[in-house]
Amino acid sequence: MTERLAQETVVEFDRVTLRFETKAVLREISFTLQRGETKIVLGAAGSGKSVLLKLTMGLWQPDSGRITVLGEEISHRGEDELFVVRRKIGMVFQEGALFDSLTIGENVGYVFERLPAVSPEEAERRAREALRFVELEQTFDLYPSQLSGGMRRRVAIARAVVGQPELMLYDSPTAGLDPITAARIMTLIVKQRDVGRVSSLLVTHRVQDAIQMARSYYDARQENLLPAGQDGARRDTHTRFLVLREGELVFHGSLEELAAQRDPYLQEFLA
Amino acid sequence: MGLFDDFAKQRVFAVQEFTLLSSRALGNVFRSPHYATDIVRQMDFIGFGSLPIVVLTGFFTGAVLALQSANTLSTFGETSLTGQLVMLSLVRELGPVLTSLMVAGRNSSGMASELGSMVVSEQIDAMRALGTDPSKKLVTPRLVATVLMLPMLTIISDFMGLLGGFATSFFIIRLNPGQYWYSAYQSLEFEDVFQGLLKPFVFAFIVALVGCYYGLTTTGGTQGVGRSTTQAVVAASVLILVSDFFLTKIILWLLA
């Protein structure tokens, strides 16, 4: 039973604390993310949301506590050891973080540079496939500077999913985008959740995105998002919420539980 | 006192970080993966790209050196030694130091701003997330390329300086061309060439590592990139001049 549970837990934070100089950015954070589950991380600017993702990726190390990702304890590992875990994770950075000097195709296929088992032909095929997933295959030979902000964000999603990750980390993927592009990106994220059955941590400021994620599912036939309760049988979108306030976890639960909270800080988010 | 403590701590921490980055960058030379394409690209950018400024600096340094020294030497009726003076000044000191300063101005700043921009746009984090060690992919190729290119640029600069000195000697001072080249060639010894090439080799480490260090430790958005760029040029230039003194002292002691 223990082994089964350990296999199902994709991410586990156990009393994790991180300080920048004297200021605690995250304090005693504990939560788990199960396989196939999505956790939406809400919080005001500077509450530690992006830090949480970077700790999950092993980009930063906690001052205390333990972080376990895909069964591996990553809290104090070297870069080479972390690569084994990181190759199973896809991360979408806030501004896309595409490499300016590489073409879109090279950006998306970059992860295969460290995987000699994947031939250049296979790497290109998979990069094109990932770009097709975000409907940007035609940009393969272009450079990031030739794309709009929304397109760069979609390429970043393609780069994150190309290695068929078991865990996706999204850092404010719709921040600063117009509503149409934001909706398109949210569709891709829900599609990745429902079609790929990938666990994910999604950081966002936009509550409408979070609600859409919790109440919609991707319909492969219509290639669009539909309300989870539309056909009578309510679907479980496996989406739960984490709310951070000044580095502390102040809420962990479902959308309905969040809506029922009386805390003014939490209510402000849903207002 | 608290402020002083914080300042001292920051400086010690910076030295520690710089030492760690330097040792990693050097160690990477012997560890795979090796990014040969990046090394060649950087060699082109640092070596070929710096050629115009190095050629111009070298030529006019030699020219003005000949002009100044001939003026002094004429007091003693020894203008025939102009070639010798230009040659020794250039090969021992001015060639390596001025070339390194010019390359630092162009490339330390370039490295700091490029890597700094990558830091603030999270490209460095993305690189690590995709399994690439930024010190291997970004720092080591720049270090190797600078170490290979700076001595070559110095040789070109020395030669251009000699040409500049010759141009002044021939067209302005009206010296016999044979006399200029003969005195220049005869004065040159192995020790001069040795220190003339050892210095740019050492300065190359300063140019590349200081530029990369300031780039990779950039904080504070685009304003931070500007600050890192300025700091990289200032730190590299000062370090080149300071280390030149100690290097010269050590070389003279060794050769004695």
Side-chain angles (χ1 to χ4, degrees):
Chain A
M1 185 64 186
T2 312
E3 193 185 325
R4 201 175 143 229
L5 275 177
Q7 277 176 353
E8 285 180 346
T9 301
V10 175
V11 177
E12 182 175 5
F13 272 55
D14 182 18
R15 285 172 293 137
V16 171
T17 297
L18 177 71
R19 285 189 177 78
F20 285 162
E21 295 179 355
T22 51
K23 190 182 176 239
V25 190
L26 287 180
R27 257 193 301 262
E28 298 276 321
I29 299 288
S30 296
F31 71 91
T32 58
L33 177 77
Q34 303 302 316
R35 191 168 292 281
E37 186 186 21
T38 293
K39 285 239 155 78
I40 296 173
V41 188
L42 292 172
S47 57
K49 304 185 299 295
S50 298
V51 173
L52 191 92
L53 291 194
K54 288 187 178 176
L55 284 169
T56 310
M57 195 50 152
L59 296 174
W60 290 342
Q61 305 289 344
D63 290 316
S64 63
R66 280 158 43 94
I67 302 170
T68 309
V69 178
L70 297 162
E72 305 273 352
E73 216 256 276
I74 63 156
S75 311
H76 300 286
R77 293 245 183 136
E79 289 285 311
D80 283 334
E81 290 172 297
L82 281 170
F83 179 61
V84 182
V85 181
R86 283 178 183 161
R87 59 191 279 196
K88 298 177 198 164
I89 309 173
M91 183 160 180
V92 178
F93 288 86
Q94 204 162 6
E95 299 291 332
L98 300 180
F99 305 126
D100 301 323
S101 56
L102 304 182
T103 64
I104 298 302
E106 288 167 338
N107 260 289
V108 176
Y110 190 86
V111 70
F112 300 121
E113 263 197 19
R114 279 291 305 270
L115 302 171
V118 180
S119 68
E121 295 76 26
E122 171 69 2
E124 186 181 329
R125 188 190 66 74
R126 286 172 66 176
R128 285 189 184 280
E129 194 178 282
L131 281 170
R132 207 174 303 129
F133 176 76
V134 297
E135 298 165 27
L136 283 175
E137 197 186 351
Q138 73 283 5
T139 63
F140 192 86
D141 294 315
L142 299 181
Y143 282 89
S145 59
Q146 294 171 282
L147 305 187
S148 68
M151 287 164 99
R152 281 203 291 271
R153 222 67 72 87
R154 281 154 66 195
V155 172
I157 293 176
R159 184 173 68 178
V161 301
V162 72
Q164 293 165 341
E166 293 177 46
L167 169 66
M168 284 291 294
L169 308 175
Y170 301 97
D171 190 359
S172 306
T174 55
L177 296 178
D178 62 90
I180 297 168
T181 314
R184 204 164 185 181
I185 290 196
M186 283 313 296
T187 305
L188 287 172
I189 292 171
V190 177
K191 183 178 170 185
Q192 177 68 2
R193 180 194 69 188
D194 294 345
V195 176
R197 302 275 169 211
V198 176
S199 316
S200 50
L201 281 174
L202 173 94
V203 162
T204 185
H205 291 107
R206 290 165 51 101
V207 179
Q208 65 268 44
D209 289 347
I211 293 173
Q212 187 182 28
M213 184 101 190
R215 290 189 172 159
S216 311
Y217 75 97
Y218 181 78
D219 186 281
R221 274 182 307 168
Q222 296 185 45
E223 295 186 347
N224 210 347
L225 298 190
L226 297 177
Q230 182 179 257
D231 49 7
R234 190 167 176 77
R235 289 161 196 267
D236 186 357
T237 57
H238 304 285
T239 300
R240 291 166 72 79
F241 288 75
L242 297 173
V243 183
L244 291 174
R245 178 169 54 190
E246 292 174 6
E248 282 184 32
L249 188 59
V250 291
F251 175 80
H252 184 188
S254 67
L255 178 60
E256 289 70 28
E257 287 167 336
L258 179 61
Q261 294 292 311
R262 289 283 162 261
D263 185 317
Y265 180 80
L266 298 174
Q267 282 188 331
E268 227 173 300
F269 268 101
L270 297 176
Chain B
M1 194 63 192
L3 273 177
F4 177 76
D5 278 357
D6 287 349
F7 180 77
K9 269 184 205 164
Q10 278 172 10
R11 295 283 80 83
V12 171
F13 183 68
V15 171
Q16 177 190 309
E17 290 291 294
F18 181 76
T19 311
L20 282 173
L21 177 74
S22 307
S23 56
R24 265 207 310 274
L26 274 174
N28 291 340
V29 175
F30 309 102
R31 281 195 293 264
S32 60
H34 296 105
Y35 296 94
T37 317
D38 293 274
I39 294 174
V40 173
R41 198 176 293 144
Q42 288 302 323
M43 282 169 73
D44 176 51
F45 181 74
I46 295 163
F48 190 73
S50 305
L51 215 47
I53 54 165
V54 165
V55 164
L56 280 173
T57 312
F59 185 86
F60 285 103
T61 304
V64 81
L65 203 58
L67 209 56
Q68 290 282 14
S69 52
N71 201 22
T72 312
L73 288 170
S74 66
T75 321
F76 308 102
E78 292 285 4
T79 44
S80 59
L81 294 177
T82 305
Q84 179 180 344
L85 218 142
V86 171
M87 174 67 106
L88 292 181
S89 309
L90 275 174
V91 172
R92 283 183 187 169
E93 279 303 326
L94 293 176
V97 172
L98 286 180
T99 307
S100 303
L101 287 176
M102 297 312 288
V103 173
R106 181 180 182 272
N107 297 302
S108 295
S109 60
M111 290 174 200
S113 63
E114 188 183 352
L115 301 193
S117 305
M118 289 181 79
V119 169
V120 299
S121 61
E122 295 186 305
Q123 289 179 50
I124 299 289
D125 282 341
M127 194 170 269
R128 290 175 61 207
L130 291 164
T132 300
D133 180 351
S135 76
K136 278 184 189 161
K137 172 84 176 164
L138 301 171
V139 183
T140 303
R142 282 165 175 76
L143 176 64
V144 172
T146 314
V147 166
L148 291 175
M149 287 292 108
L150 196 51
M152 291 192 201
L153 287 169
T154 304
I155 293 170
I156 293 169
S157 173
D158 289 348
F159 180 69
M160 291 310 297
L162 273 179
L163 274 183
F166 170 72
T168 304
S169 307
F170 184 68
F171 294 110
I172 300 174
I173 307 165
R174 300 289 173 191
L175 263 185
N176 182 339
Q179 209 173 20
Y180 175 85
W181 288 113
Y182 183 77
S183 80
Y185 179 72
Q186 283 299 315
S187 64
L188 199 64
E189 292 190 7
F190 169 76
E191 288 83 357
D192 306 318
V193 178
F194 174 71
Q195 67 170 303
L197 288 179
L198 182 67
K199 283 178 180 178
F201 178 76
V202 175
F203 297 158
F205 283 87
I206 295 173
V207 169
L209 292 172
V210 167
C212 292
Y213 170 74
Y214 277 101
L216 289 175
T217 51
T218 299
T219 51
T222 47
Q223 203 181 16
V225 176
R227 199 169 43 239
S228 292
T229 307
T230 312
Q231 285 174 332
V233 178
V234 172
S237 305
V238 170
L239 277 175
I240 286 169
L241 292 170
V242 171
S243 62
D244 180 48
F245 171 78
F246 290 104
L247 209 54
T248 307
K249 189 84 182 138
I250 292 167
I251 292 168
L252 290 178
W253 176 72
L254 282 175
L255 294 176

